Amino acid sequence: MSQIPPRLFPAARWLSRMDASSLRSDAVAGLTNAAIVLPQGVAFAIIAGLPPEYGLYTAMLVPIIAALWGSSMVMVSGPTTAISALVFASLSEFTEPGSARFIELALLLTVLVGLFQIGAGLARLGGLVSFVSHSVIVAFTAAAAILIALSQLPAALGITVERGGNVVERVIRLASELGATNATALAIAGVTLASVALVQWRAPRAPGFLIALMAGSALAALLGAEAHGVAMLPPIGSALPSFAPPGLSFDDVVLLAPSAAAIALVGLLEAISIGRSFAVRRQERFAPNQEMVGQGLSNTVGGFFQCYAGSGSFTRSGVNAEAGARTPLSAILASVTLAVILLLFGPWISVIPMPAIAGLILYVAWRLIDRAELRHILTTSRPETLILVATLGSGLLIELDFAIYIGVIASFSVFIYDSAHPSLRVSAPVETASGRRKFRNADLHHIPECPQVVTVRLDGPLYFGSVEHVEAEWERMRAARPGQTRVIFYLKGVGKIDLSGADFLIQAIREVRAAGGQFHIVALFPPLLECLRRFHVIDEIGEDHLHISKGDALAATMAELDLGICRSCTRRIFTECADLPNAANEAALAPRMGQDRRIS
């Protein structure tokens, strides 16, 4: 494997390092994951509106491709709750869930999702995904969880309700049918839900989903559920996926492209966030662009083998890591184990009652809502709250896939607004407990200022989008301090500037000098200095007025002060003021004062 370039086959990196110890660890983790994914695959397929076997096929094939061509060492891919909900929301408006047409569109949608993801990875757009606010995922997941729970309540109650619609429509339809609740179905769903919650609470490493499903199925058999009108899972068509390329038509591609883009984005956000979190925790390398390609390949190939769109799974990845997985081989072994289980026990799947699956899904929906993070966002950040409310509201009241676009637009809007409103503030020195000098916000902390020198600090980008705001803040500051004509402009948080930013600096320099003052710039980041030179800011201000520290700038400014003003000043703002005339040292400094033509 060492002969294969990792760029073409990323798995070569870890396959060449495998030994007997890592193989044992991965085998244990794979067996553990297989027990979890069996009930999850069935449940997620039902959420997506597909026959149960399609969730199992997705759990078999997608993880193998993602493991071989992805970047994460422990992330397990496959069907996920959020994407399953998106698939249903995207296709149910066009055709009947579970129908042959629905399945065909789901497979084509999966291929399109994969192509979008491959394209994004090859274009190296991994960094752009980071610009989508975490609040978008929190809100989208919460909206999906609520809609998923509402979609499963009819099965848990043993009633039939029209599917689809927003949250209000679903609640109204559900309420109108509550009188027809099947007590047997409700008991099975309740026992399953209680079982999985109890096992996950008391023994989180145990296969809680499988145990709960067995408990619900045992109760169904004990009560004679089918005789009481309880629906059972249909038998699976085949234990293994087969080559079944989706029908391709231009009209269908155009129809599905917007939804495919939304699902591709959600899948990448899930996979990259999971991959990064585990890489940081385990101190491993993670390449977002490679992971995007791996996810895209898994979906593109999967779409030709009866798989629907998948991504990284929070639950199975966590179990995989906790079970001791060392390499992506654990995900591959889990898929192989699942295939063996289905070959041996596939026919028994029809003894599982639908209310038991509904109970599992209700538990998944409950766990999906990150209540602590929702509270954290709502209580700490107004912009993030806006993003959260916009995404959650559109997901619940409009469409789930549309909510992603709303969230992304809101994220970029907040980012652009923040970048267009950098902080421009006046700072002044204070002495810390250790005796060191620190510059603080003069207006916020009511720190006395020098009557001649003003130190201005810019935190944030200086480019065409922010120049208008910076100009307005500069004019306000200048109007409030007409006597402070010696300006030290500290470009603290500025990495680069563009031509508009340079024009602002040149105009500010000319204004200050026209008023009889001096302008000094403090900048120390090499790319910023290169921009200042290229856009002729340094030509305008002069090399002697460009400094690498506030101390150097202050030392140069001291030589430019009106010593007559200094003589009457009692503030002594800067430590450098000790060398300037005052009532106590005027006699000692008289020779210097006599040489200064500016003494009044």
Side-chain angles (χ1 to χ4, degrees):
M1 287 295 176
S2 60
Q3 302 299 320
I4 304 176
R7 183 173 59 87
L8 299 178
F9 187 58
R13 287 192 179 95
W14 54 266
L15 284 172
S16 61
R17 299 196 304 266
M18 289 202 61
D19 54 26
S21 174
S22 64
L23 181 59
R24 283 193 300 270
S25 298
D26 289 337
V28 172
L31 290 171
T32 305
N33 241 302
I36 291 174
V37 77
L38 176 60
Q40 280 193 345
V42 172
F44 293 164
I46 291 172
I47 292 173
L50 292 164
E53 58 264 32
Y54 283 81
L56 299 172
Y57 298 158
T58 305
M60 281 185 215
L61 186 59
V62 167
I64 296 176
I65 305 297
L68 294 174
W69 273 274
S71 178
S72 176
M73 294 296 286
V74 296
M75 182 172 67
V76 180
S77 297
T80 70
T81 318
I83 290 183
S84 299
L86 266 178
V87 169
F88 177 82
S90 301
L91 301 180
S92 58
E93 60 179 310
F94 304 129
T95 185
E96 179 66 22
S99 64
R101 173 65 172 162
F102 188 96
I103 294 172
E104 182 180 22
L105 289 180
L107 299 181
L108 177 59
L109 179 68
T110 302
V111 173
L112 293 177
V113 168
L115 293 176
F116 275 124
Q117 292 174 331
I118 292 172
L122 294 177
R124 306 190 69 80
L125 300 181
L128 287 180
V129 176
S130 302
F131 284 92
V132 179
S133 169
H134 174 62
S135 300
V136 174
I137 295 300
V138 173
F140 167 79
T141 305
I146 294 170
L147 293 175
I148 288 168
L150 287 173
S151 72
Q152 294 306 305
L153 283 175
L157 298 173
I159 58 179
T160 302
V161 175
E162 181 184 350
R163 303 177 72 173
N166 61 40
V167 66
V168 177
E169 294 167 341
R170 295 186 190 207
V171 169
I172 291 174
R173 290 198 295 262
L174 183 65
S176 67
E177 298 291 336
L178 286 179
T181 298
N182 185 316
T184 304
L186 181 58
I188 295 169
V191 166
T192 307
L193 177 58
S195 299
V196 68
L198 180 63
V199 174
Q200 295 294 94
W201 174 46
R202 301 297 297 178
R205 293 193 178 188
F209 282 78
L210 188 58
I211 293 172
L213 198 59
M214 292 172 65
S217 300
L219 180 62
L222 184 64
L223 298 177
E226 282 193 270
H228 290 83
V230 174
M232 312 298 283
L233 277 178
I236 60 174
S238 171
L240 299 177
S242 59
F243 181 67
L248 181 64
S249 76
F250 180 76
D251 290 341
D252 286 344
V253 170
V254 172
L255 182 71
L256 299 177
S259 296
I263 295 172
L265 177 59
V266 172
L268 293 179
L269 288 171
E270 285 187 332
I272 290 176
S273 62
I274 296 170
R276 275 182 175 157
S277 65
F278 280 106
V280 170
R281 188 184 310 173
R282 294 162 59 94
Q283 297 182 338
E284 294 172 340
R285 174 183 174 275
F286 181 74
N289 292 310
Q290 183 60 55
E291 188 60 49
M292 293 167 81
V293 172
Q295 293 294 321
L297 282 173
S298 68
N299 284 318
T300 303
V301 174
F304 287 88
F305 288 89
Q306 297 179 292
C307 302
Y308 73 95
S311 181
S313 166
F314 287 100
T315 302
R316 294 194 299 282
S317 299
V319 169
N320 198 41
E322 289 295 322
R326 303 262 292 275
T327 74
L329 182 64
S330 61
I332 298 173
L333 293 176
S335 296
V336 173
T337 304
L338 176 62
V340 172
I341 292 173
L342 287 179
L343 285 170
L344 296 175
F345 304 105
W348 291 89
I349 198 170
S350 58
V351 304
I352 300 174
M354 289 295 293
I357 296 295
L360 290 181
I361 297 175
L362 288 173
Y363 176 77
V364 170
W366 171 255
R367 291 294 300 272
L368 272 179
I369 301 176
D370 193 338
R371 292 167 292 281
E373 189 62 21
L374 286 170
R375 284 193 299 271
H376 176 69
I377 293 170
L378 292 171
T379 56
T380 58
S381 174
R382 191 171 297 176
E384 293 295 322
T385 297
L386 174 64
I387 295 171
L388 186 144
V389 171
T391 307
L392 181 61
S394 56
L396 293 177
L397 300 176
I398 306 176
E399 290 181 8
L400 197 56
D401 54 348
F402 185 69
I404 286 295
Y405 294 118
I406 293 293
V408 170
I409 291 171
S411 291
F412 277 95
S413 298
V414 168
F415 171 75
I416 291 171
Y417 180 86
D418 287 342
S419 69
H421 292 77
S423 169
L424 185 72
R425 64 178 186 266
V426 174
S427 61
V430 295
E431 188 172 329
T432 64
S434 61
R436 298 182 61 189
R437 177 172 65 179
K438 292 287 185 181
F439 281 77
R440 297 286 186 263
N441 189 325
D443 294 324
L444 180 64
H445 298 287
H446 307 291
I447 304 171
E449 299 176 42
C450 173
Q452 298 188 70
V453 181
V454 60
T455 304
V456 184
R457 170 170 165 159
L458 178 64
D459 287 298
L462 184 57
Y463 73 114
F464 67 91
S466 66
V467 162
E468 182 178 355
H469 170 75
V470 174
E471 282 180 341
E473 291 297 296
W474 167 255
E475 291 171 2
R476 181 188 61 79
M477 185 274 295
R478 292 282 294 152
R481 297 166 173 83
Q484 293 168 277
T485 57
R486 275 71 179 175
V487 177
I488 298 175
F489 204 95
Y490 186 23
L491 299 174
K492 169 66 174 177
V494 182
K496 290 184 180 181
I497 65 171
D498 66 358
L499 186 59
S500 298
D503 288 343
F504 160 75
L505 288 175
I506 291 172
Q507 183 62 31
I509 293 166
R510 292 174 179 174
E511 286 178 4
V512 169
R513 287 177 171 171
Q518 291 294 332
F519 199 102
H520 295 261
I521 290 178
V522 179
L524 37 107
F525 190 44
L528 173 59
L529 294 173
E530 175 58 30
C531 289
L532 293 174
R533 198 174 304 279
R534 186 169 70 251
F535 293 130
H536 305 293
V537 176
I538 296 178
D539 293 339
E540 181 70 30
I541 197 173
E543 294 279 356
D544 58 335
H545 282 62
L546 178 67
H547 311 278
I548 61 172
S549 70
K550 289 193 290 291
D552 290 346
L554 278 169
T557 304
M558 291 295 113
E560 302 166 350
L561 298 182
D562 185 332
L563 299 183
I565 296 176
C566 291
R567 183 176 55 189
S568 61
C569 178
T570 59
R571 295 180 182 177
R572 308 288 104 179
I573 301 299
F574 305 108
T575 55
E576 291 84 354
C577 293
D579 297 328
L580 299 178
N582 56 43
N585 64 7
E586 185 173 1
L589 296 176
R592 174 180 171 182
M593 293 173 61
Q595 295 171 3
D596 197 305
R597 294 174 295 176
R598 292 169 292 178
I599 296 179
S600 56

